[in-house]
Amino acid sequence: MLEENDEGQQPLFESPTRAAVHKVTDLLQGVAAADDGWFEGHLQELDFRLFASLKNFISTLHKGGSTLKLSEEEHDLRLTPAEVARAYERVSQVEVDEVEETAEGELLGIVLSRGGSSLGRRMEMWLVGE
């Protein structure tokens, strides 16, 4: 169980933990959905590291014949063994190829920003030849 301690106060902003749980809930629900549309539509947007973790997690659930129950404020997610199997079939058919890219330049700085409910990082770089 993962629980935040807000000490009885209503937070002004969604915490990073709450945002992560919400995103994971949506991701798992989409991957296990009866319709392939969500998975196919969002697959290209997933970071390869996130997908590798998702694939490993679903594989572990599937191999153990497990179910999953995830509860958050807005909604609950329950995955039956059949839904876990469907998610496993989807993620096991995807192979991720990492592409290494090299760029030569000068690092100008790293900018931390809060976008919506998550903390982001962006590098500013001057590329050679620009």
Side-chain angles (χ1 to χ4, degrees):
M1 174 168 13
L2 179 63
E3 186 175 12
E4 286 186 307
N5 183 8
D6 350 2
E7 299 178 18
Q9 298 178 3
Q10 189 69 10
L12 291 174
F13 302 102
E14 185 177 50
S15 72
T17 303
R18 185 169 292 155
V21 169
H22 184 71
K23 287 180 182 179
V24 167
T25 302
D26 289 345
L27 178 61
L28 289 168
Q29 189 170 17
V31 170
D35 179 19
D36 287 338
W38 188 95
F39 183 68
E40 292 172 0
H42 287 81
L43 183 60
Q44 295 297 321
E45 299 169 13
L46 291 178
D47 178 82
F48 74 91
R49 294 169 293 186
L50 174 62
F51 183 78
S53 296
L54 173 69
K55 189 174 184 177
N56 186 31
F57 179 68
I58 290 176
S59 176
T60 301
L61 289 175
H62 179 68
K63 287 177 184 173
S66 303
T67 61
L68 175 69
K69 179 180 178 187
L70 201 148
S71 297
E72 61 170 316
E73 283 185 6
E74 287 82 31
H75 62 282
D76 293 338
L77 170 66
R78 288 187 174 92
L79 298 183
T80 65
E83 291 168 322
V84 171
R86 181 172 40 237
Y88 176 75
E89 288 300 316
R90 285 185 182 141
V91 298
S92 64
Q93 293 176 9
V94 175
E95 290 296 322
V96 176
D97 295 325
E98 263 187 84
V99 177
E100 187 174 313
E101 294 181 22
T102 304
E104 191 173 326
E106 181 179 342
L107 179 64
L108 301 174
I110 298 175
V111 179
L112 298 177
S113 63
R114 182 172 277 284
S117 62
S118 62
L119 184 64
R121 293 176 295 235
R122 189 178 76 224
M123 292 188 332
E124 292 293 333
M125 183 173 176
W126 174 80
L127 295 175
V128 173
E130 284 190 357

mmCIF file of all heavy atoms in Angstrom, residues 63-86:
data_model
loop_
_atom_site.group_PDB
_atom_site.id
_atom_site.type_symbol
_atom_site.label_atom_id
_atom_site.label_comp_id
_atom_site.label_asym_id
_atom_site.label_seq_id
_atom_site.Cartn_x
_atom_site.Cartn_y
_atom_site.Cartn_z
ATOM 1 N N LYS A 63 2.754 -14.332 -15.265
ATOM 2 C CA LYS A 63 3.412 -15.593 -14.897
ATOM 3 C C LYS A 63 2.916 -16.102 -13.547
ATOM 4 O O LYS A 63 2.883 -17.305 -13.313
ATOM 5 C CB LYS A 63 4.920 -15.416 -14.889
ATOM 6 C CG LYS A 63 5.491 -15.303 -16.282
ATOM 7 C CD LYS A 63 6.967 -15.058 -16.274
ATOM 8 C CE LYS A 63 7.457 -14.858 -17.699
ATOM 9 N NZ LYS A 63 8.864 -14.463 -17.736
ATOM 10 N N GLY A 64 2.539 -15.193 -12.658
ATOM 11 C CA GLY A 64 2.023 -15.592 -11.355
ATOM 12 C C GLY A 64 0.532 -15.855 -11.341
ATOM 13 O O GLY A 64 -0.029 -16.200 -10.300
ATOM 14 N N GLY A 65 -0.146 -15.665 -12.477
ATOM 15 C CA GLY A 65 -1.590 -15.840 -12.524
ATOM 16 C C GLY A 65 -2.314 -14.855 -11.612
ATOM 17 O O GLY A 65 -3.351 -15.152 -11.039
ATOM 18 N N SER A 66 -1.752 -13.671 -11.493
ATOM 19 C CA SER A 66 -2.227 -12.687 -10.526
ATOM 20 C C SER A 66 -3.353 -11.814 -11.051
ATOM 21 O O SER A 66 -3.564 -11.696 -12.250
ATOM 22 C CB SER A 66 -1.065 -11.769 -10.118
ATOM 23 O OG SER A 66 -0.004 -12.511 -9.592
ATOM 24 N N THR A 67 -4.012 -11.185 -10.109
ATOM 25 C CA THR A 67 -4.958 -10.114 -10.396
ATOM 26 C C THR A 67 -4.320 -8.837 -9.870
ATOM 27 O O THR A 67 -3.297 -8.879 -9.190
ATOM 28 C CB THR A 67 -6.302 -10.338 -9.691
ATOM 29 O OG1 THR A 67 -6.086 -10.355 -8.283
ATOM 30 C CG2 THR A 67 -6.945 -11.636 -10.134
ATOM 31 N N LEU A 68 -4.935 -7.718 -10.177
ATOM 32 C CA LEU A 68 -4.405 -6.440 -9.709
ATOM 33 C C LEU A 68 -5.555 -5.555 -9.280
ATOM 34 O O LEU A 68 -6.571 -5.463 -9.977
ATOM 35 C CB LEU A 68 -3.618 -5.748 -10.832
ATOM 36 C CG LEU A 68 -3.103 -4.344 -10.535
ATOM 37 C CD1 LEU A 68 -1.997 -4.384 -9.490
ATOM 38 C CD2 LEU A 68 -2.607 -3.664 -11.791
ATOM 39 N N LYS A 69 -5.400 -4.921 -8.140
ATOM 40 C CA LYS A 69 -6.359 -3.922 -7.690
ATOM 41 C C LYS A 69 -5.564 -2.689 -7.303
ATOM 42 O O LYS A 69 -4.659 -2.743 -6.480
ATOM 43 C CB LYS A 69 -7.163 -4.410 -6.489
ATOM 44 C CG LYS A 69 -8.154 -3.362 -6.008
ATOM 45 C CD LYS A 69 -8.944 -3.830 -4.818
ATOM 46 C CE LYS A 69 -9.863 -2.714 -4.368
ATOM 47 N NZ LYS A 69 -10.542 -3.039 -3.127
ATOM 48 N N LEU A 70 -5.903 -1.574 -7.925
ATOM 49 C CA LEU A 70 -5.242 -0.314 -7.657
ATOM 50 C C LEU A 70 -6.330 0.718 -7.376
ATOM 51 O O LEU A 70 -7.221 0.906 -8.194
ATOM 52 C CB LEU A 70 -4.405 0.087 -8.878
ATOM 53 C CG LEU A 70 -3.284 1.065 -8.647
ATOM 54 C CD1 LEU A 70 -2.150 0.785 -9.603
ATOM 55 C CD2 LEU A 70 -3.731 2.479 -8.766
ATOM 56 N N SER A 71 -6.271 1.349 -6.223
ATOM 57 C CA SER A 71 -7.288 2.323 -5.833
ATOM 58 C C SER A 71 -6.668 3.691 -5.677
ATOM 59 O O SER A 71 -5.598 3.833 -5.091
ATOM 60 C CB SER A 71 -7.934 1.930 -4.503
ATOM 61 O OG SER A 71 -8.590 0.711 -4.623
ATOM 62 N N GLU A 72 -7.350 4.684 -6.200
ATOM 63 C CA GLU A 72 -6.961 6.071 -6.004
ATOM 64 C C GLU A 72 -8.225 6.880 -5.777
ATOM 65 O O GLU A 72 -9.324 6.331 -5.809
ATOM 66 C CB GLU A 72 -6.142 6.591 -7.183
ATOM 67 C CG GLU A 72 -6.872 6.573 -8.502
ATOM 68 C CD GLU A 72 -6.136 7.317 -9.589
ATOM 69 O OE1 GLU A 72 -5.627 8.409 -9.327
ATOM 70 O OE2 GLU A 72 -6.089 6.794 -10.706
ATOM 71 N N GLU A 73 -8.078 8.159 -5.539
ATOM 72 C CA GLU A 73 -9.240 8.974 -5.202
ATOM 73 C C GLU A 73 -10.314 8.950 -6.282
ATOM 74 O O GLU A 73 -11.492 8.819 -5.990
ATOM 75 C CB GLU A 73 -8.821 10.423 -4.943
ATOM 76 C CG GLU A 73 -8.181 10.624 -3.604
ATOM 77 C CD GLU A 73 -7.886 12.084 -3.324
ATOM 78 O OE1 GLU A 73 -8.274 12.954 -4.120
ATOM 79 O OE2 GLU A 73 -7.264 12.355 -2.299
ATOM 80 N N GLU A 74 -9.928 9.114 -7.539
ATOM 81 C CA GLU A 74 -10.899 9.236 -8.615
ATOM 82 C C GLU A 74 -11.552 7.914 -8.995
ATOM 83 O O GLU A 74 -12.730 7.860 -9.281
ATOM 84 C CB GLU A 74 -10.269 9.868 -9.864
ATOM 85 C CG GLU A 74 -10.005 11.351 -9.739
ATOM 86 C CD GLU A 74 -8.709 11.656 -9.011
ATOM 87 O OE1 GLU A 74 -7.763 10.836 -9.116
ATOM 88 O OE2 GLU A 74 -8.634 12.672 -8.321
ATOM 89 N N HIS A 75 -10.785 6.851 -9.065
ATOM 90 C CA HIS A 75 -11.360 5.575 -9.477
ATOM 91 C C HIS A 75 -10.490 4.399 -9.051
ATOM 92 O O HIS A 75 -9.346 4.578 -8.653
ATOM 93 C CB HIS A 75 -11.609 5.543 -10.989
ATOM 94 C CG HIS A 75 -10.383 5.689 -11.825
ATOM 95 N ND1 HIS A 75 -9.763 6.885 -12.058
ATOM 96 C CD2 HIS A 75 -9.672 4.770 -12.514
ATOM 97 C CE1 HIS A 75 -8.723 6.704 -12.836
ATOM 98 N NE2 HIS A 75 -8.648 5.439 -13.124
ATOM 99 N N ASP A 76 -11.080 3.225 -9.144
ATOM 100 C CA ASP A 76 -10.388 1.981 -8.829
ATOM 101 C C ASP A 76 -10.122 1.224 -10.125
ATOM 102 O O ASP A 76 -10.899 1.317 -11.072
ATOM 103 C CB ASP A 76 -11.242 1.088 -7.930
ATOM 104 C CG ASP A 76 -11.438 1.667 -6.542
ATOM 105 O OD1 ASP A 76 -10.620 2.498 -6.121
ATOM 106 O OD2 ASP A 76 -12.421 1.272 -5.881
ATOM 107 N N LEU A 77 -9.055 0.468 -10.120
ATOM 108 C CA LEU A 77 -8.729 -0.380 -11.260
ATOM 109 C C LEU A 77 -8.608 -1.805 -10.755
ATOM 110 O O LEU A 77 -7.896 -2.062 -9.787
ATOM 111 C CB LEU A 77 -7.407 0.065 -11.899
ATOM 112 C CG LEU A 77 -6.818 -0.867 -12.955
ATOM 113 C CD1 LEU A 77 -7.727 -0.905 -14.178
ATOM 114 C CD2 LEU A 77 -5.428 -0.440 -13.330
ATOM 115 N N ARG A 78 -9.329 -2.693 -11.392
ATOM 116 C CA ARG A 78 -9.233 -4.115 -11.074
ATOM 117 C C ARG A 78 -8.966 -4.854 -12.378
ATOM 118 O O ARG A 78 -9.729 -4.732 -13.328
ATOM 119 C CB ARG A 78 -10.533 -4.625 -10.458
ATOM 120 C CG ARG A 78 -10.765 -4.148 -9.061
ATOM 121 C CD ARG A 78 -11.993 -4.846 -8.457
ATOM 122 N NE ARG A 78 -12.129 -4.493 -7.066
ATOM 123 C CZ ARG A 78 -12.853 -3.479 -6.622
ATOM 124 N NH1 ARG A 78 -13.516 -2.715 -7.465
ATOM 125 N NH2 ARG A 78 -12.935 -3.221 -5.337
ATOM 126 N N LEU A 79 -7.897 -5.627 -12.389
ATOM 127 C CA LEU A 79 -7.578 -6.440 -13.559
ATOM 128 C C LEU A 79 -7.729 -7.908 -13.197
ATOM 129 O O LEU A 79 -7.098 -8.390 -12.260
ATOM 130 C CB LEU A 79 -6.155 -6.169 -14.055
ATOM 131 C CG LEU A 79 -5.834 -4.763 -14.530
ATOM 132 C CD1 LEU A 79 -4.403 -4.691 -15.046
ATOM 133 C CD2 LEU A 79 -6.802 -4.303 -15.601
ATOM 134 N N THR A 80 -8.562 -8.594 -13.937
ATOM 135 C CA THR A 80 -8.761 -10.032 -13.756
ATOM 136 C C THR A 80 -7.607 -10.770 -14.432
ATOM 137 O O THR A 80 -6.858 -10.175 -15.232
ATOM 138 C CB THR A 80 -10.085 -10.463 -14.404
ATOM 139 O OG1 THR A 80 -9.982 -10.251 -15.820
ATOM 140 C CG2 THR A 80 -11.272 -9.692 -13.825
ATOM 141 N N PRO A 81 -7.454 -12.065 -14.161
ATOM 142 C CA PRO A 81 -6.410 -12.819 -14.875
ATOM 143 C C PRO A 81 -6.562 -12.742 -16.395
ATOM 144 O O PRO A 81 -5.568 -12.704 -17.117
ATOM 145 C CB PRO A 81 -6.600 -14.251 -14.358
ATOM 146 C CG PRO A 81 -7.150 -14.066 -12.982
ATOM 147 C CD PRO A 81 -8.065 -12.865 -13.100
ATOM 148 N N ALA A 82 -7.801 -12.694 -16.897
ATOM 149 C CA ALA A 82 -8.012 -12.584 -18.349
ATOM 150 C C ALA A 82 -7.528 -11.232 -18.874
ATOM 151 O O ALA A 82 -6.926 -11.155 -19.955
ATOM 152 C CB ALA A 82 -9.493 -12.772 -18.673
ATOM 153 N N GLU A 83 -7.755 -10.165 -18.115
ATOM 154 C CA GLU A 83 -7.291 -8.831 -18.541
ATOM 155 C C GLU A 83 -5.771 -8.727 -18.443
ATOM 156 O O GLU A 83 -5.130 -8.111 -19.303
ATOM 157 C CB GLU A 83 -7.970 -7.751 -17.691
ATOM 158 C CG GLU A 83 -9.449 -7.637 -17.986
ATOM 159 C CD GLU A 83 -10.198 -6.795 -16.972
ATOM 160 O OE1 GLU A 83 -9.881 -6.884 -15.765
ATOM 161 O OE2 GLU A 83 -11.102 -6.048 -17.396
ATOM 162 N N VAL A 84 -5.190 -9.355 -17.429
ATOM 163 C CA VAL A 84 -3.724 -9.395 -17.318
ATOM 164 C C VAL A 84 -3.149 -10.159 -18.503
ATOM 165 O O VAL A 84 -2.144 -9.748 -19.099
ATOM 166 C CB VAL A 84 -3.278 -10.013 -15.972
ATOM 167 C CG1 VAL A 84 -1.775 -10.260 -15.958
ATOM 168 C CG2 VAL A 84 -3.678 -9.123 -14.800
ATOM 169 N N ALA A 85 -3.796 -11.266 -18.878
ATOM 170 C CA ALA A 85 -3.335 -12.053 -20.034
ATOM 171 C C ALA A 85 -3.419 -11.244 -21.319
ATOM 172 O O ALA A 85 -2.508 -11.300 -22.160
ATOM 173 C CB ALA A 85 -4.159 -13.337 -20.160
ATOM 174 N N ARG A 86 -4.492 -10.468 -21.476
ATOM 175 C CA ARG A 86 -4.644 -9.626 -22.663
ATOM 176 C C ARG A 86 -3.533 -8.566 -22.706
ATOM 177 O O ARG A 86 -2.915 -8.335 -23.742
ATOM 178 C CB ARG A 86 -6.016 -8.955 -22.667
ATOM 179 C CG ARG A 86 -6.243 -8.104 -23.882
ATOM 180 C CD ARG A 86 -7.657 -7.572 -24.031
ATOM 181 N NE ARG A 86 -8.285 -7.139 -22.800
ATOM 182 C CZ ARG A 86 -9.441 -7.618 -22.328
ATOM 183 N NH1 ARG A 86 -10.087 -8.565 -22.965
ATOM 184 N NH2 ARG A 86 -9.950 -7.149 -21.206
#
